[in-house]
Structure formats: structure tokens, C-alpha cells
Amino acid sequence: MTTTEAPRGGAVTTTRRAPAAPPAGGTTTRLAGSRVPVQGRVRPTQIPVAVYAEDLILQTGVVQQLRQRPEVELLSEGDAGRAEVSLLVVDALTEAVVEHLRRLRLATSGRIGLVVGQFEAGGLQTIVENGVAAVLRRSEADQDRLVHLITALANGEGVMPGDLLGELLDRIGMLQRTMLDGRGLTLSTLTAREAEMLRLVAEGFDTSEIAAKTSYSERTVKNVLHEIITRLGLRNRAHAVGYAMRRGLI
């Protein structure tokens, strides 16, 4: 058994346990943060994974499950930079864990998953800001769910428990209300001015009439409508009106 000492500043400690003797013909890989070789057959389709944990118990539980799965290649500390997925296993979202996530985000180009025991809803923004794209609660972290999380991350997808996903959507809605609406913008691709001009087009007004009603020049009206058509990849004003009406934008 070997243990890596936590760096100063409360960083997460990563601990590794030496595995059983290798099967015949197996190739040697090593766990992230470990000096002890781990045996397993490396396949071209395997997902390179670096595993980090706070203590030996957490480390052993996750590693033992992943070691049995042919989809996963467990990387050594020296190879951790080529990980497609970095998996951090912790008890709770502490300041030390957040600092570890910050360092991990800077150290790897892969995606980050978090397996956590206790998670307060308010921590969602913190982990998203620090690069976490998937979360799994430890109580649900069986072998299949771990592999599902790793595969989803490798495919560019995200994984969240239902309650956290709901909170994330609520936060997006709050962002729209507080950051966009005050500037006349919406997440629906039209500004308030663009929507107003399209409504007037839909009511049959021509360029000069729209200019008079909105107090803009005819040149500005033409530019705004042209910008809508170009940005949305539409053919003409009628197409833009139909697009906006189908999506409830006007």
C-alpha cells in the first residue's frame, strides 16, 4: 500500500492499494497518483481514466469496480495528462475539493466527473464553474453507473441527478431574467427591437411605416431585418415572420 501526501493548502489526498498478481498475458497500467503497477488488458476502445480520491476506502471501492470493466483504462500518475476523463471521489464538497477541481481543470484537457457522498444544492454553481460536467452520488455509484458516467463524459455529454438538473435549469432561468432581460435580450435569439419590427412586418407594414412607428431610420429598419434573416439562415421577411411565429417569439 502506498499513500501520496496531500500538498499544502488542503489539497485532496490520493491513496492507492497494490492489486493482486496479474493474469497471464496482461499488460501493465498504473493508477493515477500511484507507484504500484496494476494489471489489465488495454484495448484500443478503452477510455483513458485518471482516478483521484480522498482516502484509501473511497479509492479502493471505485478502482475495484472499474478494474473489472474492459471499457476503462486506468492511467498512471505519469500518464494522467492524456486522460479523457478525470474522476474525483470525495465525501463532500469542501474547500479542499474545490481547490483540487481548480488544479485538475488546469492540468488536463479531458472532462471531469465528481462522485460525492453529501452534496448541498448550493454547490452546483461552484462545481460547474470548476469544470465538472457529471455528478454521481456515492450511494448510487455501482459499477454500471460509474461506467455510464465515464462513457457519457468521453462522448461530450453531461450527467446530473434529477434534482440537480432541476436546479441547473432554475439557475439558467434566473440568469435570463437578471442578466438578459434588462438589456432587451432573450434566449430565444431575438432582441426586443427585432421582435417588435417582425411583429410590424407580420401586420403588413412596409419599411417606411415601421421606421415611423419605431422612431428608427428606414436604413436601420432594413439593417435590423437583414440581420435577423442572415443570422437565422432564412430566405426573406416572410420566412422570418413565419419562423418567429412558429416559435412563439412574436
Side-chain angles (χ1 to χ4, degrees):
M1 180 188 306
T2 61
T3 303
T4 56
E5 184 179 350
R8 294 179 181 177
V12 178
T13 301
T14 303
T15 312
R16 304 292 185 265
R17 174 177 290 177
T27 57
T28 301
T29 60
R30 291 170 63 190
L31 296 178
S34 174
R35 293 184 175 84
V36 181
V38 176
Q39 305 298 328
R41 294 182 182 276
V42 179
R43 302 183 183 183
T45 56
Q46 286 182 313
I47 301 169
V49 177
V51 179
Y52 306 85
E54 287 183 302
D55 57 47
L56 176 63
I57 294 176
L58 297 181
Q59 180 70 32
T60 300
V62 172
V63 167
Q64 290 296 336
Q65 294 195 66
L66 294 181
R67 183 185 290 147
Q68 304 172 36
R69 298 298 291 254
E71 303 98 321
V72 176
E73 175 193 0
L74 294 171
L75 297 177
S76 69
E77 183 177 9
D79 287 339
R82 69 178 181 86
E84 291 183 23
V85 173
S86 294
L87 196 60
L88 181 59
V89 189
V90 299
D91 278 320
L93 187 65
T94 63
E95 291 184 7
V97 171
V98 173
E99 180 60 29
H100 194 147
L101 287 172
R102 291 192 185 105
R103 295 199 307 271
L104 199 56
R105 182 183 57 178
L106 296 174
T108 180
S109 59
R111 307 185 78 218
I112 301 173
L114 181 68
V115 180
V116 61
Q118 299 178 2
F119 189 84
E120 298 292 336
L124 181 60
Q125 181 174 342
T126 298
I127 64 172
V128 171
E129 289 174 351
N130 286 281
V132 174
V135 178
L136 182 63
R137 288 192 170 92
R138 274 211 342 255
S139 59
E140 302 172 349
D142 59 20
Q143 187 179 110
D144 288 337
R145 286 190 176 95
L146 283 168
V147 173
H148 171 72
L149 179 143
I150 289 169
T151 303
L153 285 171
N155 290 335
E157 301 169 359
V159 177
M160 290 278 176
D163 59 318
L164 296 185
L165 180 59
E167 184 195 350
L168 182 60
L169 294 176
D170 289 342
R171 286 185 176 273
I172 292 174
M174 184 181 299
L175 175 66
Q176 178 183 7
R177 292 190 296 273
T178 60
M179 298 296 293
L180 301 181
D181 287 351
R183 296 161 51 199
L185 301 175
T186 71
L187 294 179
S188 59
T189 71
L190 293 180
T191 67
R193 182 174 70 171
E194 289 171 341
E196 180 184 9
M197 290 187 182
L198 277 184
R199 278 194 294 270
L200 293 172
V201 171
E203 292 172 8
F205 295 104
D206 61 23
T207 300
S208 62
E209 291 171 324
I210 294 173
K213 285 182 173 294
T214 59
S215 300
Y216 290 109
S217 68
E218 291 186 29
R219 180 183 181 88
T220 297
V221 172
K222 290 179 181 178
N223 288 341
V224 169
L225 294 175
H226 177 74
E227 165 63 21
I228 297 171
I229 292 168
T230 301
R231 188 175 72 242
L232 300 180
L234 305 174
R235 293 188 298 274
N236 49 44
R237 293 185 182 186
H239 192 191
V241 168
Y243 174 95
M245 293 182 69
R246 285 194 300 273
R247 287 160 178 78
L249 305 182
I250 61 173

Coordinates of all heavy atoms in Angstrom, one line a residue, residues 39 105 121 151 193 203-204 214 216:
Q39 N -2.5 -4.5 -13.2 CA -2.5 -5.3 -14.4 C -3.9 -5.3 -15.1 O -4.9 -5.2 -14.4 CB -2.2 -6.7 -14.0 CG -0.9 -6.9 -13.3 CD 0.3 -6.4 -14.1 OE1 0.3 -6.5 -15.3 NE2 1.3 -5.9 -13.4
R105 N -8.7 21.1 -13.5 CA -9.2 21.7 -14.7 C -8.0 22.3 -15.5 O -8.0 22.3 -16.7 CB -10.2 22.8 -14.3 CG -10.8 23.5 -15.5 CD -11.7 24.6 -15.1 NE -11.1 25.6 -14.3 CZ -11.6 26.7 -13.8 NH1 -12.9 26.9 -14.0 NH2 -11.0 27.5 -13.0
A121 N -27.2 21.5 -2.5 CA -27.7 22.0 -3.8 C -27.0 23.3 -4.1 O -26.7 23.6 -5.3 CB -29.2 22.3 -3.7
T151 N -18.5 7.0 -19.7 CA -18.8 6.9 -21.2 C -19.4 8.2 -21.6 O -19.1 8.7 -22.7 CB -19.6 5.7 -21.5 OG1 -19.0 4.5 -21.0 CG2 -19.9 5.6 -23.0
R193 N -36.1 44.7 -29.8 CA -36.3 45.6 -31.0 C -36.6 44.7 -32.3 O -37.4 45.0 -33.1 CB -35.0 46.4 -31.3 CG -35.2 47.4 -32.5 CD -34.0 48.3 -32.6 NE -32.8 47.6 -33.0 CZ -31.6 48.2 -33.3 NH1 -31.6 49.5 -33.3 NH2 -30.6 47.5 -33.7
E203 N -47.8 42.4 -39.4 CA -49.1 43.1 -39.5 C -49.2 43.9 -40.9 O -50.2 44.6 -41.1 CB -49.2 44.1 -38.4 CG -49.3 43.4 -37.0 CD -49.2 44.4 -35.8 OE1 -49.1 45.6 -36.1 OE2 -49.2 44.0 -34.7
G204 N -48.3 43.7 -41.7 CA -48.4 44.2 -43.1 C -47.7 45.6 -43.3 O -47.9 46.2 -44.4
T214 N -41.5 53.1 -35.1 CA -40.4 52.7 -34.1 C -39.4 53.9 -33.8 O -38.6 53.7 -33.0 CB -39.6 51.5 -34.6 OG1 -39.0 51.8 -35.8 CG2 -40.5 50.3 -34.7
Y216 N -37.1 54.8 -35.7 CA -35.8 54.5 -36.3 C -35.8 54.9 -37.8 O -36.8 55.1 -38.4 CB -35.5 53.0 -36.3 CG -35.2 52.5 -34.9 CD1 -36.1 51.6 -34.2 CD2 -34.0 52.8 -34.2 CE1 -35.9 51.1 -33.0 CE2 -33.8 52.3 -32.9 CZ -34.7 51.5 -32.3 OH -34.5 51.0 -31.0

